[in-house]
Each structure stands twice: as structure tokens, then as C-alpha cells.
Amino acid sequence: MPADANLYARFRARFQARLDAPCFIAPDGAIVTYAALDDWSARFAAALRARGVGADDRVVVQVGKSTLAIALYLACLRVGAIYTPLNTAYTEAETAYFLADAAPALFIAERKSAAPSAVEMLQTAFWAEALAAAPDQALAPRTGEDVAAIVYTSGTTGRSKGAMLTIGNLASNAETLVSLWGFTADDVLLHALPIFHVHGLFVALHCALLSACTTIFHPAFDAAALRADLKRATVLMGVPTFYTRLLALPAFGAEDCLTMRLFISGSAPLLAETHREFEARTGHRILERYGMSEAGMITSNPLDGARVPGTVGYPLPGVSLRIVDDAGRALPPGEPGVIQIKGPNVFKGYWRMPEKTAQEFTRDGYFITGDVGVAEPDGRISIVGRAKDLIISGGYNIYPKEIEDVLDAVEGVAESAVIGAPHPDFGEAPVALVTLRPGAAASLEALAAAVAEKLARFKHPKRILIVEELPRNAMGKVQKAALRERYRDLLAE
Ligand code: MLC
Ligand code: AMP
């Protein structure tokens, strides 16, 4: 990577020859050209600088999906600031934690906080200020080691960690994917993912910007709207729920996919039956890949060659992947163990958490993913479980501990256990089992209200049950596996 590696300069070099081409098309047909995006991002950069934002400053962004929000991301790259996106579904309590942790120079928010901090600015005000500013074309000098973004991921302890992704991480992963998935300027990417996570922001958008192709930009996921636009797209990236919801449309089929060349799925396990049903209905074999916030994409099924249902394919070029036992010894093919990875895509560490970072890397520099996988003799990987207590619901990560902490604080609650139960739409979703103190009478409403006050809606347990007791092992530890078995049909339709 060159010493001056401003990521925006790399994107610009690729779309320079296509400034008049459509970068984004809205479902209603409105076009944003590459020239317009370039101009907006230069104005947004001017507005950031006018607000005192410079290299390595964090800019926390909690705004809805729009092309101007993309211009803001690119503006952060231009000035060398650290882009720190937050899910718009977070409650004030959740947001307050991220703000305290990230200590941003600027916080751009869609909604006004009850007690706004000195650095908070409403999106509407910032947009107006930025669009009125004179474009500032200067690009901050950067190296591949500089942090471009902090992406928060929940932690098993309930405390979210900010994964620091460098310019080198993002650039190398994007270059690899463009070539692996065969992106060209002729592609039309259908984009319906949120832009505050790695999948929608980096995987999808970076492939589009680096190949200078066109993106049909949906403000949110809607199966019928997506189906309509498949007719003018070539590539779709989605979480498995996208595919199950498309399949739930009775008339969806091959005629909808005549221009499509590639369907990609990730962020959560794609059921083999979804893969098969999708092929039967459309003739397309979904390409499943595996990744995480800390590393972008890690493995992928091949573009040319067998895409095997229930597997996530081969480690990306440049990524070393090994599967180890509890003692950290490498396991042979066929034996399941924890996946460890090393490569240019692997993050720099957790923001302001050096001890946590050290714990999650091995002495020889591999990142311990917490995912349990098994390799085939030819190197193909399948994800068979998780060593971390994590629920992935519709592609969103939910840590049981975070919900348990909220429930345990409700008066009358003795203990709670949150598990993931199979869910027909979201793959899995949280279910909470709660025991009460002797004589106490906490109501289900009180429990739900506590959760609603503290946690984003997608984290809310789909069911809360008050139970007599929780099963324990000989050490006194709650047996979540037994609970998962007992309640496996609770959320089935
Ligand atoms: C919405 N709800 C969810 C939910 N999404 N509940 C659990 N899990 C989810 N994922 C809640 C809503 O709050 C609402 O609650 C109810 O479910 C119905 O909502 P909806 O309107 O039907 O949901 P919708 O807006 O259609 O969202 C579904 C979805 C969305 C699948 C489109 O969740 C989504 O965009 N997921 C993608 C997440 C993502 O980008 N992950 C990538 C992370 S990066 P109520 O109570 O109001 O009824 C990563 C790395 C990698 O993992 O490998 O890519
Ligand atoms: P996140 O921290 O939100 O980036 O989520 C990353 C996690 O999503 C990984 O550690 C995996 O557990 C899971 N994941 C991503 N892609 C897949 C996949 N294709 N199959 C199974 N799990 C996946």
C-alpha cells in the first residue's frame, strides 16, 4: 500500500473516468452521478473541517440510510476522521454508552437527544450547512495503518467494543472481493442493507465504488420493492432473511432474475433448504460467504465452481485460517473447533481496550473469532456453531448478557437466562426465561417495559417466560443448551 493511502483517493481514481455515470439510483428513478457524490463529499469535508474535525477525530453518525449519509462517510475519509456509525434503532441509553466510549469531535444525529452533548448536531442542520459550503478537495495524507472506521460490536460481557478498522483492512478486503466476485463497471448492485454495519457499508458499497458500477439504493428492505428492482440489477447482497422473504412472495421466480448474475448471502447462516429452494425457484445458486465486523470478509464460496449449501467456502486470498481445539492446537479436516484468522483484513484492535484486544489474539497473531467451524480436506469451511454466547437475529448480533443484565435489574427478579430460539423469519431470535425471588410478583409487562426502555427493539426477546427454576450443571451454571432444546419450538409459526 502506498504511504499516502487516503481511501477516498483510491475510490476516486476508480470512478474518475465515470463521473457522469449513475452512482446511485433510487427506487423512484432519481439519479446521483459519481460527479454529484464527489461534489457532495467535498462540501461535507469542508463542513467537517469548519467544525474543527481533523485527522483521527471520531465522527459518530446515527442517521437513516440516504445517499447524503454516504457522502458524509466519504467526507470523513477525505479529512482522515474516524467514521463511527451507530444503528438508528439504539435507545438513548445505548447511544450514551457509545458516545462516552468514542469521545467524538462531532455527533451527527437523526433525532435530538434528551440531554444533547456539546458535540451533537442534528442531521438536518448539518446537511444544510454542508450543502451550502464551498467544496474542499484537500485529502488528508494517510497511511494504510491509520484507522478509517470504528464499528461497534457487542461483547459477551455486555459491554460493546469498538473494532478499529484501518484503511489497509478496508482497502485490501474490498480489492479482493471486487476481483473474487467479478465486479465490473457494468454491474448494477441492489442495495437494501442498513449502512451502519460492515455488510451494507463496506462489503457492498466498497465493491460498488471500486468497480465504479451503479447501485440501486433502497432506503430499507422491502421484499416486493426488491423483487421489482431485481429486473434491472445484476448483483444482490443480503442477509438470509432477504432470501426467505423473497421466497415467501408466491409469484417470485426465474422471470424476476433475468438480468441477475449473482446472489450473495452472509452475516448469518443460510439454511441449506433456503439455498435449494432458491435454486429451484430461480435457477440461481446463492453464493454464501462468512465475515465479521473485526475482519470484513473471511471466506467465500467461489464465483466459478461449486457453491455448496451449508458451507461458507474457502478462505479469501491472503487470509490464513486455522481451526483449533480448546488448547489452541490446530485440528485436521473433519474435526470441529474454533476458527482463528490472520491477514490484511484483520482489525487493528478494540478502541481503548488493549487488554481485551490482547485476549482475543493468540501469541502468534491470529484473531480468535469465537465461531466454530470444520474444514474439508480441500479447505472448504462450514460454520457449525459458536463458542461465544451470541444470538444472530436477521443478521443483527444480540448478546444474551446485555438482555439478562436489564432483566436481572427488575425488582423481584432472581435470575434470567436469554437463549436464541429458531425463528421462521429471523433465523433465530431471543427468548428470555426469568425466575422470581420467593414471594415476588414481577409482571411480564414490567419486564417488557424495562427491556423497551434500555434496548433497541431488535434485541427485545420475542417471548419472556416466568419459570420456576433454570436447569443447572454440577458447577451450578445455567445449562443454556438444555434450555435451547426445551424451547426450540417456542417461536415456530
Ligand atoms: C427488525 N426486527 C427485528 C429484526 N429486524 N427483530 C429481530 N431481529 C431483527 N433482525 C423487529 C422490528 O423492530 C419490529 O419489531 C419487528 O421485528 C418487525 O420488523 P420488520 O419491519 O419486519 O423488520 P424489517 O425492518 O423488515 O427488518 C428486517 C431485516 C433487518 C432483516 C431487513 O433486520 C435487516 O436489515 N437486517 C440486516 C442486518 C445487517 O445488516 N447485518 C449485517 C451485520 S455485519 P416490533 O416489535 O416493532 O414489531 C456482519 C458481518 C457480515 O454481520 O458477515 O456481514
Ligand atoms: P458481526 O459481529 O455483526 O460482524 O457478526 C459476525 C458474526 O456473524 C460472525 O462471527 C459469525 O458468527 C456470523 N456470520 C457471518 N456470516 C456468516 C455465515 N455465512 N454463516 C454463519 N455465520 C455467519
Side-chain angles (χ1 to χ4, degrees):
M1 168 147 318
D4 180 1
N6 191 300
L7 190 54
Y8 186 76
R10 286 175 161 248
F11 292 140
R12 210 196 130 101
R14 296 295 180 87
F15 62 68
Q16 184 72 38
R18 285 182 41 88
L19 286 173
D20 293 335
C23 175
F24 293 114
I25 302 181
D28 69 3
I31 287 176
V32 175
T33 61
Y34 272 100
L37 186 70
D38 186 54
D39 176 67
W40 285 347
S41 63
R43 292 174 195 272
F44 274 72
L48 289 174
R49 288 195 170 107
R51 293 249 151 213
V53 174
D56 299 324
D57 283 337
R58 276 78 55 214
V59 176
V60 173
V61 177
Q62 191 175 33
V63 304
K65 188 176 175 181
S66 71
T67 47
L68 287 175
I70 300 299
L72 173 58
Y73 162 57
L74 297 177
C76 288
L77 294 180
R78 281 175 175 268
V79 307
I82 301 177
Y83 187 73
T84 309
L86 295 183
N87 192 329
T88 46
Y90 289 143
T91 60
E92 287 232 348
E94 289 168 312
T95 303
Y97 168 84
F98 296 116
L99 289 174
D101 191 65
L106 188 61
F107 167 40
I108 300 172
E110 185 174 68
R111 294 171 308 229
K112 208 174 168 129
S113 309
S117 73
V119 297
E120 177 171 326
M121 215 183 152
L122 270 185
Q123 173 191 338
T124 43
F126 188 76
W127 270 202
E129 195 170 292
L131 292 172
D136 179 349
Q137 300 295 348
L139 298 182
R142 300 263 85 190
T143 74
E145 289 295 300
D146 287 321
V147 177
I150 293 178
V151 179
Y152 278 96
T153 76
S154 311
T156 29
T157 55
R159 244 186 103 201
S160 285
K161 305 161 287 183
M164 295 186 287
L165 295 162
T166 66
I167 290 173
N169 296 149
L170 298 178
S172 68
N173 209 229
E175 297 280 7
T176 300
L177 297 178
V178 164
S179 118
L180 201 73
W181 293 339
F183 269 88
T184 71
D186 294 332
D187 271 311
V188 179
L189 174 71
L190 192 45
H191 193 302
L193 288 159
I195 53 167
F196 38 71
H197 281 309
V198 162
H199 195 165
L201 184 63
F202 299 143
V203 186
L205 199 72
H206 287 181
C207 280
L209 293 176
L210 273 186
S211 58
C213 76
T214 295
T215 298
I216 303 178
F217 206 60
H218 282 222
F221 174 80
D222 175 87
L226 201 70
R227 177 184 172 209
D229 271 341
L230 281 175
K231 291 193 174 66
R232 50 181 184 152
T234 64
V235 181
L236 173 69
M237 289 188 199
V239 295
T241 302
F242 281 24
Y243 294 102
T244 51
R245 288 193 187 176
L246 278 173
L247 289 169
L249 300 175
F252 172 71
E255 320 72 58
D256 294 308
C257 308
L258 297 176
T259 57
M260 289 294 296
R261 71 171 182 88
L262 185 59
F263 289 91
I264 303 175
S265 176
S267 305
L270 181 78
L271 293 178
E273 73 190 56
T274 309
H275 191 284
R276 293 195 187 101
E277 192 186 342
F278 201 84
E279 183 177 15
R281 291 267 287 276
T282 67
H284 284 272
R285 291 175 73 80
I286 299 171
L287 180 153
E288 185 171 9
R289 86 325 178 258
Y290 155 66
M292 62 194 303
S293 299
E294 287 91 335
M297 295 303 94
I298 301 166
T299 73
S300 174
N301 270 280
L303 184 64
D304 301 312
R307 299 179 197 161
V308 179
T311 79
V312 294
Y314 305 95
L316 300 192
V319 175
S320 310
L321 183 152
R322 66 189 184 196
I323 292 177
V324 303
D325 65 12
D326 289 345
R329 283 181 301 245
L331 289 166
E335 289 191 37
V338 171
I339 296 176
Q340 299 185 343
I341 53 169
K342 195 178 196 172
N345 55 329
V346 177
F347 74 132
K348 192 172 186 169
Y350 294 113
W351 168 251
R352 291 186 174 165
M353 289 187 181
E355 295 86 17
K356 189 79 202 157
T357 303
Q359 275 167 22
E360 305 215 2
F361 280 87
T362 63
R363 269 203 296 268
D364 59 349
Y366 278 75
F367 174 60
I368 305 164
T369 64
D371 290 309
V372 177
V374 63
E376 278 167 43
D378 73 349
R380 189 185 286 275
I381 306 295
S382 301
I383 309 289
V384 295
R386 286 173 215 135
K388 47 195 175 188
D389 192 13
L390 164 69
I391 298 166
I392 302 185
S393 176
Y396 283 134
N397 287 7
I398 303 170
Y399 275 87
K401 177 80 167 71
E402 209 184 346
I403 306 172
E404 288 161 2
D405 283 349
V406 171
L407 292 171
D408 291 349
V410 175
E411 196 170 330
V413 169
E415 193 182 16
S416 65
V418 172
I419 53 164
H423 187 281
D425 188 29
F426 296 127
E428 59 178 345
V431 163
L433 296 319
V434 176
T435 63
L436 301 182
R437 292 183 197 289
S443 67
L444 286 175
E445 289 72 27
L447 296 168
V451 167
E453 189 200 329
K454 294 276 196 274
L455 303 175
R457 287 191 86 82
F458 69 87
K459 297 180 191 170
H460 296 191
K462 300 292 179 201
R463 290 283 298 275
I464 302 178
L465 302 179
I466 295 176
V467 296
E468 284 298 311
E469 59 177 356
L470 297 171
R472 292 174 187 286
N473 65 15
M475 312 288 287
K477 198 167 173 274
V478 173
Q479 289 177 300
K480 289 207 167 173
L483 287 173
R484 278 192 285 269
E485 192 48 43
R486 187 177 305 168
Y487 294 105
R488 60 173 306 108
D489 295 327
L490 194 69
L491 303 179
E493 258 168 349

